[in-house]
mmCIF file of all heavy atoms in Angstrom:
data_model
loop_
_atom_site.group_PDB
_atom_site.id
_atom_site.type_symbol
_atom_site.label_atom_id
_atom_site.label_comp_id
_atom_site.label_asym_id
_atom_site.label_seq_id
_atom_site.Cartn_x
_atom_site.Cartn_y
_atom_site.Cartn_z
ATOM 1 N N ALA R 397 71.076 76.067 62.016
ATOM 2 C CA ALA R 397 71.006 77.474 61.621
ATOM 3 C C ALA R 397 71.511 78.372 62.742
ATOM 4 O O ALA R 397 72.200 79.371 62.497
ATOM 5 C CB ALA R 397 69.576 77.843 61.242
ATOM 6 N N SER R 398 71.174 78.012 64.000
ATOM 7 C CA SER R 398 71.647 78.799 65.145
ATOM 8 C C SER R 398 73.169 78.746 65.251
ATOM 9 O O SER R 398 73.833 79.769 65.466
ATOM 10 C CB SER R 398 71.000 78.286 66.419
ATOM 11 O OG SER R 398 71.511 78.974 67.543
ATOM 12 N N ILE R 399 73.720 77.548 65.081
ATOM 13 C CA ILE R 399 75.191 77.420 65.140
ATOM 14 C C ILE R 399 75.832 78.164 63.979
ATOM 15 O O ILE R 399 76.870 78.836 64.149
ATOM 16 C CB ILE R 399 75.594 75.935 65.147
ATOM 17 C CG1 ILE R 399 75.039 75.245 66.395
ATOM 18 C CG2 ILE R 399 77.100 75.789 65.093
ATOM 19 C CD1 ILE R 399 75.329 73.759 66.461
ATOM 20 N N ASP R 400 75.246 78.064 62.783
ATOM 21 C CA ASP R 400 75.785 78.794 61.640
ATOM 22 C C ASP R 400 75.754 80.300 61.879
ATOM 23 O O ASP R 400 76.675 81.035 61.483
ATOM 24 C CB ASP R 400 74.991 78.448 60.374
ATOM 25 C CG ASP R 400 75.257 77.036 59.898
ATOM 26 O OD1 ASP R 400 76.318 76.490 60.258
ATOM 27 O OD2 ASP R 400 74.411 76.482 59.167
ATOM 28 N N GLU R 401 74.689 80.768 62.527
ATOM 29 C CA GLU R 401 74.614 82.197 62.851
ATOM 30 C C GLU R 401 75.717 82.581 63.836
ATOM 31 O O GLU R 401 76.357 83.637 63.695
ATOM 32 C CB GLU R 401 73.240 82.512 63.420
ATOM 33 C CG GLU R 401 73.034 83.991 63.714
ATOM 34 C CD GLU R 401 71.648 84.284 64.246
ATOM 35 O OE1 GLU R 401 70.838 83.326 64.343
ATOM 36 O OE2 GLU R 401 71.369 85.450 64.573
ATOM 37 N N GLN R 402 75.954 81.726 64.834
ATOM 38 C CA GLN R 402 77.041 81.993 65.774
ATOM 39 C C GLN R 402 78.397 81.966 65.073
ATOM 40 O O GLN R 402 79.278 82.789 65.365
ATOM 41 C CB GLN R 402 77.010 80.961 66.898
ATOM 42 C CG GLN R 402 75.774 81.052 67.789
ATOM 43 C CD GLN R 402 75.718 79.944 68.825
ATOM 44 O OE1 GLN R 402 76.672 79.185 68.980
ATOM 45 N NE2 GLN R 402 74.596 79.849 69.536
ATOM 46 N N ILE R 403 78.553 81.037 64.124
ATOM 47 C CA ILE R 403 79.811 80.978 63.367
ATOM 48 C C ILE R 403 79.995 82.248 62.547
ATOM 49 O O ILE R 403 81.103 82.809 62.467
ATOM 50 C CB ILE R 403 79.830 79.730 62.472
ATOM 51 C CG1 ILE R 403 79.942 78.461 63.326
ATOM 52 C CG2 ILE R 403 80.989 79.791 61.477
ATOM 53 C CD1 ILE R 403 79.845 77.172 62.545
ATOM 54 N N ALA R 404 78.923 82.723 61.925
ATOM 55 C CA ALA R 404 79.020 83.944 61.117
ATOM 56 C C ALA R 404 79.410 85.135 61.982
ATOM 57 O O ALA R 404 80.282 85.939 61.609
ATOM 58 C CB ALA R 404 77.690 84.201 60.404
ATOM 59 N N LYS R 405 78.783 85.255 63.177
ATOM 60 C CA LYS R 405 79.139 86.348 64.076
ATOM 61 C C LYS R 405 80.586 86.206 64.555
ATOM 62 O O LYS R 405 81.317 87.203 64.672
ATOM 63 C CB LYS R 405 78.187 86.367 65.259
ATOM 64 C CG LYS R 405 76.758 86.764 64.908
ATOM 65 C CD LYS R 405 75.878 86.775 66.156
ATOM 66 C CE LYS R 405 74.445 87.185 65.804
ATOM 67 N NZ LYS R 405 73.555 87.192 66.996
ATOM 68 N N ALA R 406 80.997 84.959 64.848
ATOM 69 C CA ALA R 406 82.368 84.741 65.309
ATOM 70 C C ALA R 406 83.377 85.114 64.219
ATOM 71 O O ALA R 406 84.417 85.723 64.502
ATOM 72 C CB ALA R 406 82.546 83.284 65.741
ATOM 73 N N LYS R 407 83.067 84.764 62.982
ATOM 74 C CA LYS R 407 83.969 85.120 61.889
ATOM 75 C C LYS R 407 84.024 86.641 61.695
ATOM 76 O O LYS R 407 85.097 87.198 61.410
ATOM 77 C CB LYS R 407 83.515 84.437 60.597
ATOM 78 C CG LYS R 407 83.764 82.939 60.567
ATOM 79 C CD LYS R 407 83.336 82.346 59.242
ATOM 80 C CE LYS R 407 83.643 80.846 59.185
ATOM 81 N NZ LYS R 407 83.204 80.237 57.890
ATOM 82 N N GLU R 408 82.877 87.271 61.853
ATOM 83 C CA GLU R 408 82.865 88.726 61.723
ATOM 84 C C GLU R 408 83.715 89.376 62.816
ATOM 85 O O GLU R 408 84.503 90.294 62.548
ATOM 86 C CB GLU R 408 81.422 89.231 61.792
ATOM 87 C CG GLU R 408 81.304 90.739 61.630
ATOM 88 C CD GLU R 408 79.865 91.195 61.724
ATOM 89 O OE1 GLU R 408 78.962 90.329 61.862
ATOM 90 O OE2 GLU R 408 79.630 92.416 61.670
ATOM 91 N N GLU R 409 83.558 88.884 64.058
ATOM 92 C CA GLU R 409 84.367 89.436 65.141
ATOM 93 C C GLU R 409 85.837 89.071 64.966
ATOM 94 O O GLU R 409 86.727 89.866 65.277
ATOM 95 C CB GLU R 409 83.851 88.926 66.481
ATOM 96 C CG GLU R 409 84.581 89.547 67.663
ATOM 97 C CD GLU R 409 83.883 89.260 68.985
ATOM 98 O OE1 GLU R 409 82.788 88.665 68.947
ATOM 99 O OE2 GLU R 409 84.426 89.651 70.036
ATOM 100 N N GLN R 410 86.101 87.874 64.436
ATOM 101 C CA GLN R 410 87.484 87.485 64.183
ATOM 102 C C GLN R 410 88.145 88.430 63.180
ATOM 103 O O GLN R 410 89.308 88.809 63.335
ATOM 104 C CB GLN R 410 87.529 86.040 63.672
ATOM 105 C CG GLN R 410 88.941 85.523 63.437
ATOM 106 C CD GLN R 410 88.930 84.133 62.813
ATOM 107 O OE1 GLN R 410 88.005 83.791 62.078
ATOM 108 N NE2 GLN R 410 89.940 83.342 63.109
ATOM 109 N N GLN R 411 87.385 88.823 62.182
ATOM 110 C CA GLN R 411 87.921 89.752 61.196
ATOM 111 C C GLN R 411 88.194 91.125 61.822
ATOM 112 O O GLN R 411 89.200 91.775 61.510
ATOM 113 C CB GLN R 411 86.938 89.886 60.021
ATOM 114 C CG GLN R 411 87.451 90.713 58.864
ATOM 115 C CD GLN R 411 88.647 90.080 58.195
ATOM 116 O OE1 GLN R 411 88.820 88.860 58.230
ATOM 117 N NE2 GLN R 411 89.497 90.893 57.600
#
Side-chain angles (χ1 to χ4, degrees):
S398 176
I399 298 177
D400 289 338
E401 183 179 358
Q402 294 175 8
I403 291 175
K405 291 181 180 179
K407 288 182 177 179
E408 181 181 357
E409 184 168 355
Q410 183 185 30
Q411 186 65 27

